[in-house]
């Protein structure tokens, strides 16, 4: 993905520390530096809880609610409830593209763009190619996959370009290793149990998604011990 050309790294201490840790990892790609960078990145992200990130949480929550609605009462009733009757009898691809695009506001902010990418990747991971496929998926498994990809994509958005500039020869491996660390850590430690029982379809529960994103960052914040 690379850093957006229009993206300006914040200058607060947390972001400066994270940028320094990214440079350190670029020079020496080892587990300790990956853990340190994940820690600094998490601390910076927790400091910047922006409205756009809240919008991303809302987009994810709406998608979870959409799938709950389809699973609990069927596609047509769900589309009617959402005032999307014009999508009835459309192809699965058209329905999903329309609703995912609308919920993420077509990537109008960096966080909505990242949320849209994370949603798309998660659907591919679970091989969701039709509405029927949505009936078989676990809400908890899907949400965890979305959050893992969101945190990883957010990292790449902010630091991939810097790592490429600092170490163009080894950049690809460094980024893959860092993504692998983020992925494996969150798969092991991020807990989304109980999400299945929350009614995302009838309630505005984006705050719960925000809490889970915060939980993900807290995992990395707590793992690194200062030397």
């Amino acid at each position: 993905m690379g850093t957006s050309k229009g993206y300006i790294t914040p200058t607060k201490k947390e972001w400066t520390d994270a940028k320094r840790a990214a440079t350190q990892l670029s020079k020496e790609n080892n587990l300790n530096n990956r853990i340190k960078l994940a820690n600094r990145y998490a601390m910076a992200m927790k400091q910047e809880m922006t409205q756009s990130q809240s919008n991303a949480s809302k987009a994810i929550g709406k998608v979870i609610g959409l799938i709950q609605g389809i699973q609990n009462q069927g596609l047509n009733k769900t589309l009617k409830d959402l005032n999307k009757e014009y999508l009835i009898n459309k192809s699965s691809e058209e329905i999903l593209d329309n609703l995912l695009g609308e919920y993420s506001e077509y990537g109008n902010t960096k966080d909505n763009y990242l949320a849209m990418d994370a949603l798309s990747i998660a659907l591919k991971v679970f091989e969701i190619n039709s509405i029927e496929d949505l009936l078989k998926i676990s809400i908890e498994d899907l949400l965890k996959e979305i959050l893992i990809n969101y945190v990883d994509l957010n990292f790449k958005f902010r630091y991939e370009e810097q790592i490429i500039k600092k170490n163009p020869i080894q950049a690809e491996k460094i980024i893959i290793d860092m993504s692998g660390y983020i992925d494996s850590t969150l798969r092991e430690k991020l807990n989304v149990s109980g999400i299945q029982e929350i009614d995302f379809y009838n309630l505005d529960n984006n705050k719960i998604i925000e809490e889970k994103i915060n939980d993900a960052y807290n995992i990395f914040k707590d793992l690194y011990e200062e030397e």
Side-chain angles (χ1 to χ4, degrees):
M1 172 188 287
T3 308
S4 167
K5 298 298 183 184
Y7 174 68
I8 300 174
T9 305
T11 57
K12 292 183 179 180
K13 180 181 182 300
E14 291 87 354
W15 291 102
T16 301
D17 290 346
K19 189 174 182 181
R20 189 179 297 117
T23 296
Q24 187 174 350
L25 179 64
S26 301
K27 293 177 180 178
E28 190 174 358
N29 181 21
N30 58 43
L31 178 58
N32 188 65
N33 283 341
R34 288 194 286 276
I35 295 172
K36 182 175 182 178
L37 175 52
N39 168 272
R40 299 299 191 258
Y41 159 58
M43 292 176 70
M45 288 304 303
K46 284 179 63 62
Q47 185 271 330
E48 184 199 64
M49 296 306 292
T50 63
Q51 179 61 41
S52 58
Q53 185 156 304
S54 177
N55 289 341
S57 300
K58 188 178 294 185
I60 294 169
K62 284 183 176 180
V63 169
I64 297 298
L66 169 69
I67 296 171
Q68 278 186 330
I70 293 172
Q71 289 182 347
N72 293 334
Q73 60 186 20
L75 175 62
N76 288 352
K77 175 66 165 60
T78 300
L79 292 177
K80 288 178 181 177
D81 286 351
L82 297 172
N83 295 317
K84 303 293 182 184
E85 291 93 338
Y86 64 90
L87 290 174
I88 293 175
N89 296 325
K90 299 292 186 181
S91 69
S92 294
E93 182 179 9
E94 188 171 352
I95 292 170
L96 291 175
D97 285 350
N98 183 286
L99 294 177
L100 294 183
E102 179 180 320
Y103 290 163
S104 61
E105 299 185 20
Y106 300 95
N108 64 332
T109 69
K110 68 179 185 295
D111 287 290
N112 277 342
Y113 179 82
L114 295 170
M116 186 167 60
D117 267 8
L119 290 164
S120 297
I121 291 171
L123 293 178
K124 288 179 182 176
V125 166
F126 288 104
E127 299 181 341
I128 305 299
N129 299 309
S130 69
I131 298 299
E132 289 72 23
D133 292 334
L134 292 176
L135 301 175
K136 309 168 189 174
I137 195 168
S138 158
I139 294 295
E140 292 178 359
D141 290 346
L142 178 62
L143 177 59
K144 187 167 183 175
E145 188 67 36
I146 292 170
L147 295 180
I148 289 170
N149 283 290
Y150 179 72
V151 172
D152 181 47
L153 290 169
N154 216 331
F155 170 81
K156 290 175 181 174
F157 174 83
R158 296 166 191 278
Y159 299 108
E160 185 176 58
E161 192 171 283
Q162 180 187 349
I163 292 171
I164 291 171
K165 285 181 178 178
K166 294 292 183 181
N167 191 342
I169 295 175
Q170 296 295 321
E172 183 177 1
K173 184 178 188 312
I174 294 169
I175 293 163
I176 289 173
D177 289 347
M178 189 66 195
S179 289
Y181 172 70
I182 290 172
D183 184 285
S184 61
T185 301
L186 291 181
R187 285 191 194 283
E188 178 186 354
K189 297 183 179 296
L190 181 60
N191 181 10
V192 296
S193 61
I195 288 293
Q196 192 81 35
E197 283 70 47
I198 296 172
D199 185 356
F200 285 90
Y201 184 64
N202 291 306
L203 300 172
D204 183 6
N205 282 303
N206 57 301
K207 290 295 183 184
I208 294 172
I209 304 298
E210 286 185 25
E211 289 173 6
K212 291 303 175 183
I213 294 174
N214 258 321
D215 288 348
Y217 290 135
N218 281 332
I219 288 168
F220 295 115
K221 184 175 74 71
D222 296 338
L223 279 175
Y224 181 73
E225 295 182 3
E226 295 286 353
E227 297 175 353

